[in-house]
């Protein structure tokens, strides 16, 4: 039986369904959570469906997080979307539920097996696409509204960088097209996602004039708490700045280090070598060319930078040999 079929069967079986995502939610996390909520609550109006987790300012036009009491979890089903590892699940109460389903598109690691049922497809460029495909497969039995379509379309756009990343294929565009038929306007979504604050523009200028580079082609910027404060930025908006260092000739790997109170989070990107293995070495993971990791202090950044630089050199040497 396909995992999608089990998801539908379990949704039908439960009266209360609570949808979880990951900490520091992004567009795809929100898109998957609110897309799924829209599908379930419109298809089965008698059920109680909630979205829990952290609030995102960046994509808060998608929907509002519900407040759920502990008792609600009794005899409930938890569905965790877009969340590779157990430690990243937002709202630890997911385990109070009777059963847990995981729907995700990240490469699994040791910490990834937290559910009773799994629908994991690492070939999908976004989890929102998976939820939209779920709707599309069973559309004779399911209902979707504009708000759910807006959520999933936004998730698809954000996780694919506007349909530009690997994994985007004919199916992706067909599913996006299906969502547009619910009245989603591409220009409106682009406006909502691309409008930037004056602080963000000033930060962009700062990053583009203060980045650091290594010999073999790693380009990165360390966003300290001090800088975040100086530019009056929210952490989430600041973390999006990794894209400013993308696609620079001679620099196939780029990263942003973001300092918070207890750790330094790393957003690592590549258009050359896979970098997931490095992220994994530093307590993270993700995809071959987009991953996250963390270090505890500034001294560890040095090791990380050295590791990435060595990794790029190895990659370059191997490709030299091939030629
Ligand atoms: Mn995702």
């Amino acid at each position: 039986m396909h995992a999608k079929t089990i998801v539908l069967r379990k949704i039908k079986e439960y009266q209360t369904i609570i949808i979880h995502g990951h900490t520091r939610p992004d567009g795809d996390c929100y898109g998957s959570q609110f897309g799924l909520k829209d599908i379930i609550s419109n298809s089965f109006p008698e059920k109680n469906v909630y979205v829990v987790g952290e609030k995102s300012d960046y994509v808060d036009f998608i929907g509002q997080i519900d407040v759920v009491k502990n008792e609600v979890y009794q005899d409930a089903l938890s569905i965790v979307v877009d969340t590779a590892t157990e430690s990243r699940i937002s709202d630890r109460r997911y385990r109070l539920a009777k059963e847990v389903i995981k729907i995700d598109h990240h490469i699994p690691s040791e910490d990834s097996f937290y559910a009773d049922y799994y629908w994991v497809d690492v070939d999908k460029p976004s989890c929102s696409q998976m939820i939209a495909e779920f709707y599309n497969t069973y559309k004779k039995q399911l209902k979707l509204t504009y708000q759910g379509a807006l959520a999933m379309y936004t998730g698809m756009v954000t996780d694919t960088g506007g349909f530009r990343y690997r994994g985007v294929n004919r199916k992706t565009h067909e599913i996006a097209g299906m969502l547009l038929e619910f009245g989603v306007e591409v220009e409106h979504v682009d406006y909502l996602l691309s409008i930037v604050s004056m602080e963000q523009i000033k930060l962009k200028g700062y990053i583009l004039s203060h980045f650091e580079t290594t010999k073999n082609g790693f380009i990165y910027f360390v966003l300290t708490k001090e800088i975040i404060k100086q530019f009056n930025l929210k952490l989430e908006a600041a973390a999006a700045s990794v894209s400013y260092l993308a696609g620079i000739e001679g620099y196939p790997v780029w990263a942003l280090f973001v300092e918070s109170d207890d750790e330094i989070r790393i957003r690592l990107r590549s258009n050359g070598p896979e970098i997931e293995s490095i992220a994994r070495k530093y307590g993270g993971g993700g995809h071959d060319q987009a991953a996250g990791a963390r270090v505890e202090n500034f001294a560890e950044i040095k090791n990380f930078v050295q590791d990435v630089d060595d990794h790029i050199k190895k990659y370059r040497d191997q490709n030299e040999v091939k030629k």
Side-chain angles (χ1 to χ4, degrees), residues 164-184:
R164 289 178 300 149
Y165 302 153
R166 191 186 300 258
V168 170
N169 56 23
R170 175 179 177 154
K171 182 83 182 170
T172 310
H173 285 281
E174 281 172 357
I175 290 292
M178 184 266 305
L179 295 174
L180 294 185
E181 284 177 357
F182 287 83
V184 176

Side-chain angles (χ1 to χ4, degrees), residues 28 82 105-106 159:
D28 189 32
D82 197 40
H105 69 125
H106 296 93
D159 245 32

Side-chain angles (χ1 to χ4, degrees), residues 194-203 231-233 237 244:
S194 60
I195 189 157
V196 290
S197 64
M198 186 51 78
E199 285 86 6
Q200 188 84 40
I201 277 301
K202 287 179 179 165
L203 175 70
F231 286 91
N232 192 23
L233 291 159
Y244 302 151

Side-chain angles (χ1 to χ4, degrees), residues 200-236:
Q200 188 84 40
I201 277 301
K202 287 179 179 165
L203 175 70
K204 185 175 184 173
Y206 188 84
I207 290 177
L208 290 179
S209 45
H210 293 86
F211 55 74
E212 293 178 71
T213 58
T214 66
K215 201 170 111 218
N216 292 296
F218 181 34
I219 181 165
Y220 63 96
F221 181 79
V222 183
L223 197 49
T224 60
K225 277 200 282 192
E226 212 178 353
I227 299 170
I228 293 168
K229 207 175 151 197
Q230 183 191 333
F231 286 91
N232 192 23
L233 291 159
K234 293 218 165 75
L235 260 190
E236 186 188 9

